[in-house]
Amino acid sequence: MKVHVVGVIGAGRIGKLHIANMKNMHKVRVKTVSDPFIDQMQDWFINSCVENLTKDYKDIINDPEIKAVIICAPTDLHIPIIKEAAAAGKHIFCEKPISFSDEETIEAYETVQKAGVKFQLGFNRRFDRNFAKVKEIVANKEIGDLHILKIQSRDPEPPSLDYVAHSGGIFMDMSIHDFDMARYISGSEVEEVYATGTALVNPEISKYEDIDTAIITLKFANGAIGVIDNSRQAVYGYDQQLEAFGSKGSAKVNNETQSRVEVLTTDGVKSDNPLYFFLERYNDAYIAEMSQFFDAIENNTEVPCSFIDGIMAQRIAQAAKESLLTGKPVKVKKL
Ligand SMILES: NC(=O)c1ccc[n+]([C@@H]2O[C@H](COP(=O)([O-])OP(=O)(O)OC[C@H]3O[C@@H](n4cnc5c(N)ncnc54)[C@H](O)[C@@H]3O)[C@@H](O)[C@H]2O)c1
């Protein structure tokens, strides 16, 4: 069996999650992990599958044995790392979003194209079995023509203000998953966006010119319309629901819970809360996206979530931000 020798750049929340998943993938060897705060990670390192730690990601780029890099550093570092990794001939799995700037993203796209390496973006929700089934139902016209796509996407707790400062704002950081879901489920591009939002969870977020509560409406090229509601804090857990409504019916995904048990007493009916956050809710999807990245390298096939998918979701996020600032609907830049 072919072994993929991998370097991971950035060992924060998502980097550690991917490393833990790769530990169980027999055909993957995580040779090196880079993070400037690696000194504080010695306890974690001992129990990980990682062979070397370094503070400098260039040690990964310059290692000829490493054939693929997993980019999990903060978003504002993605572009230089993508360019350097592609120029060094490495296949790339990059966390979302690609960057905050359309120009820089297109430049990086050209570098990747020229290098001819694989590039997969981390839109993990595409790999969730429920959402994948709804996509199939919509594509097969089982619900007829799509009329309305409703996405309810609420985090259980807001990120730290330090994270917010570098996140690019709620649309780029959080809603971008929903923008990708909108394109993925509908099989259509989003043409126009109207967004409204405010800071209701933590007013301090406004200091970073950000919001934590939003409603975004979408107009699709295929004529359907969509609505996304986002909050950075749903006190009952990670609220991830979706409905595709069409001329012949509707397909709905409810929240995943620890168990399906309902307890009925004189006090009412109780069931479990939604699974707490992305680690619990989407771990199967994270495993699937990473496995399929290595399959695409091994079999020289198309990756399941491309650079173009990243560019288009980023453009919807940019349009949403402009709409929030101007109070008007904004057209999404076409490819
Ligand atoms: N797909 C998802 O569900 C998902 C979830 C969370 C985050 N993300 C994305 O992953 C990226 C990281 O987010 P996070 O939540 O893990 O953030 P984080 O702050 O927890 O982790 C980022 C890590 O990168 C490290 N880092 C900083 N500079 C570096 C450098 N020069 N080289 C190597 N490492 C460096 C930091 O020390 C930190 O440990 C972001 O782009 C974010 O949007 C995706």
Side-chain angles (χ1 to χ4, degrees):
M1 193 191 345
K2 191 171 171 183
V3 171
H4 300 275
V5 185
V6 170
V8 179
I9 301 177
R13 292 187 305 172
I14 200 77
K16 287 202 179 91
L17 180 154
H18 287 310
I19 293 165
N21 287 338
M22 285 187 282
K23 190 176 177 178
N24 299 319
M25 292 179 189
H26 300 302
K27 60 184 180 181
V28 179
R29 193 182 133 208
V30 183
K31 184 173 177 191
T32 308
V33 170
S34 77
D35 195 298
F37 294 98
I38 222 78
D39 290 344
Q40 296 159 25
M41 297 181 187
Q42 294 305 319
D43 290 349
W44 164 81
F45 173 57
I46 290 162
N47 295 312
S48 72
C49 55
V50 177
E51 295 169 26
N52 309 295
L53 296 180
T54 174
K55 288 185 180 175
D56 187 353
Y57 75 82
K58 288 184 199 291
D59 292 340
I60 291 175
I61 305 287
N62 295 329
D63 184 340
E65 200 192 5
I66 293 178
K67 304 287 188 235
V69 296
I70 315 296
I71 303 176
C72 303
T75 304
D76 48 6
L77 298 173
H78 289 180
I79 292 292
I81 301 174
I82 293 171
K83 285 180 167 174
E84 288 171 49
K90 312 223 185 278
H91 301 298
I92 300 166
F93 177 96
C94 181
E95 269 308 335
K96 46 53 61 176
I98 300 170
S99 86
F100 305 136
S101 144
D102 194 51
E103 293 71 33
E104 287 180 7
T105 293
I106 295 296
E107 258 182 57
Y109 175 60
E110 284 162 4
T111 311
V112 167
Q113 289 289 95
K114 210 166 131 195
V117 294
K118 303 277 177 212
F119 179 98
Q120 184 173 325
L121 198 71
F123 282 137
N124 53 290
R125 292 184 197 173
R126 288 176 175 238
F127 302 84
D128 176 82
R129 68 188 204 294
N130 303 301
F131 297 149
K133 182 152 189 189
V134 175
K135 183 196 171 48
E136 207 180 292
I137 288 165
V138 171
N140 295 341
K141 299 251 176 204
E142 277 181 63
I143 56 158
D145 294 327
L146 181 67
H147 288 179
I148 297 172
L149 181 64
K150 269 172 89 173
I151 300 175
Q152 184 161 306
S153 174
R154 305 172 187 162
D155 286 354
E157 57 180 295
S160 68
L161 290 175
D162 276 357
Y163 179 91
V164 166
H166 300 280
S167 69
I170 192 170
F171 298 132
M172 226 13 128
D173 182 54
M174 177 181 167
S175 328
I176 197 151
H177 280 293
D178 307 310
F179 299 145
D180 182 61
M181 268 296 101
R183 293 182 65 245
Y184 172 72
I185 300 278
S186 67
S188 175
E189 291 300 345
V190 173
E191 285 192 329
E192 191 182 278
V193 178
Y194 173 69
T196 182
T198 182
L200 297 177
V201 175
N202 181 1
E204 280 200 53
I205 213 165
S206 328
K207 285 186 195 155
Y208 300 90
E209 294 175 9
D210 203 357
I211 55 169
D212 53 33
T213 308
I215 297 279
I216 308 143
T217 59
L218 311 168
K219 278 190 188 167
F220 293 94
N222 67 3
I225 50 177
V227 62
I228 297 169
D229 96 55
N230 288 141
S231 169
R232 285 287 197 183
Q233 186 170 49
V235 291
Y236 47 85
Y238 197 28
D239 192 349
Q240 297 284 289
Q241 304 187 66
L242 180 150
E243 183 191 10
F245 172 81
S247 55
K248 289 187 179 161
S250 152
K252 212 170 172 180
V253 179
N254 297 319
N255 282 316
E256 295 268 352
T257 48
Q258 195 64 47
S259 80
R260 307 289 299 164
V261 176
E262 274 189 351
V263 181
L264 295 84
T265 68
T266 49
D267 294 333
V269 181
K270 272 173 87 175
S271 57
D272 288 345
N273 285 345
L275 292 175
Y276 189 66
F277 209 175
F278 56 86
L279 172 62
E280 294 83 4
R281 172 68 178 81
Y282 288 122
N283 205 37
D284 288 348
Y286 290 119
I287 294 168
E289 69 175 351
M290 202 53 82
S291 303
Q292 291 183 35
F293 171 60
F294 293 116
D295 289 345
I297 296 173
E298 210 162 304
N299 305 320
N300 194 20
T301 49
E302 292 289 313
V303 292
C305 184
S306 70
F307 212 118
I308 299 290
D309 293 319
I311 294 171
M312 293 317 293
Q314 197 176 309
R315 287 185 175 176
I316 301 170
Q318 274 152 349
K321 190 170 180 185
E322 193 183 327
S323 173
L324 181 74
L325 293 173
T326 59
K328 295 191 172 122
V330 173
K331 297 273 180 225
V332 178
K333 192 173 169 188
K334 290 191 170 140
L335 208 56

